């Protein structure tokens, strides 16, 4: 399925505008209310991607590392007279120190990770507002459909006379 380039450019302009307006909730609501139902669905599927928050990943790594290191310290204290356990503990300690030094020296884009997490909160805000607007529009469409197919009072009065 090919999408025309003009349509992609329009959608990218729409996405860029929504990201710029995501700090102001009123402007974001106004912009989202002006969109059609199809555009709202496209915006929601675009922004509700499967990206994970960096903070949750780092927290999980810290908890797992803390558990493993605590368990290894317990085992070392329990079996410290054993020579193999002592060498294993020394190897583990050196590995931990080297990993810590690598984190200090490495040029990891920590600020980039923080900005990505901040952008993800903006996207979540856009998705939640879009979801609210879509639900209201779906309710209105359902109500219109129900009213269209429900029998009117004139038909009921004709049934009563027959």
């Amino acid at each position: 399925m090919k999408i025309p380039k003009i349509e992609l450019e329009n959608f990218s302009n729409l996405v860029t505008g929504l990201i710029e307006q995501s700090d102001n909730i009123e402007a974001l609501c106004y912009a989202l209310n002006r969109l059609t139902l199809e555009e709202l669905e496209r915006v929601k599927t675009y922004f509700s991607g499967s990206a994970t928050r960096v903070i949750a990943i780092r927290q999980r790594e810290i908890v797992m590392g803390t558990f493993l290191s605590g368990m290894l310290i317990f085992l070392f204290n329990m079996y410290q007279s054993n020579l193999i356990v002592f060498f294993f503990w020394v190897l583990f300690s050196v590995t931990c120190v080297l990993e810590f030094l690598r984190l200090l020296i490495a040029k990891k884009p920590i600020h980039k990770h923080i900005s990505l997490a901040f952008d993800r909160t903006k996207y979540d805000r856009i998705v939640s507002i879009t979801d609210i607007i879509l639900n209201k529009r779906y309710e209105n469409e359902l109500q219109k459909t129900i009213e269209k197919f429900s029998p009117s009072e004139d038909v009921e009065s004709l049934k009563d006379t027959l």
Side-chain angles (χ1 to χ4, degrees), residues 24-121:
N24 187 354
I25 293 179
E26 292 177 6
L28 182 64
C29 288
Y30 179 74
L32 288 173
N33 275 323
R34 292 185 326 171
L35 299 178
T36 64
L37 196 61
E38 291 177 5
E39 289 174 334
L40 279 173
E41 289 173 350
R42 287 177 63 194
V43 165
K44 182 180 175 188
T45 54
Y46 179 78
F47 281 118
S48 62
S50 61
T52 57
R53 292 180 186 255
V54 177
I55 298 167
I57 293 171
R58 296 292 168 234
Q59 187 175 11
R60 184 184 64 190
E61 289 174 356
I62 290 170
V63 168
M64 288 170 42
T66 304
F67 175 74
L68 289 175
S69 62
M71 190 169 59
L72 285 174
I73 290 170
F74 171 75
L75 289 174
F76 172 71
N77 285 333
M78 188 179 236
Y79 299 106
Q80 63 188 9
S81 61
N82 192 341
L83 188 63
I84 294 173
V85 174
F86 176 74
F87 285 122
F88 181 70
W89 179 79
V90 169
L91 179 69
F92 177 71
S93 299
V94 169
T95 305
C96 288
V97 169
L98 289 176
E99 187 68 23
F100 180 70
L101 290 175
R102 185 185 69 85
L103 284 175
L104 288 178
I105 295 171
K107 296 180 179 177
K108 282 196 167 193
I110 293 175
H111 296 292
K112 200 174 238 185
H113 286 305
I114 293 171
S115 67
L116 285 174
F118 182 71
D119 288 344
R120 187 71 229 162
T121 58

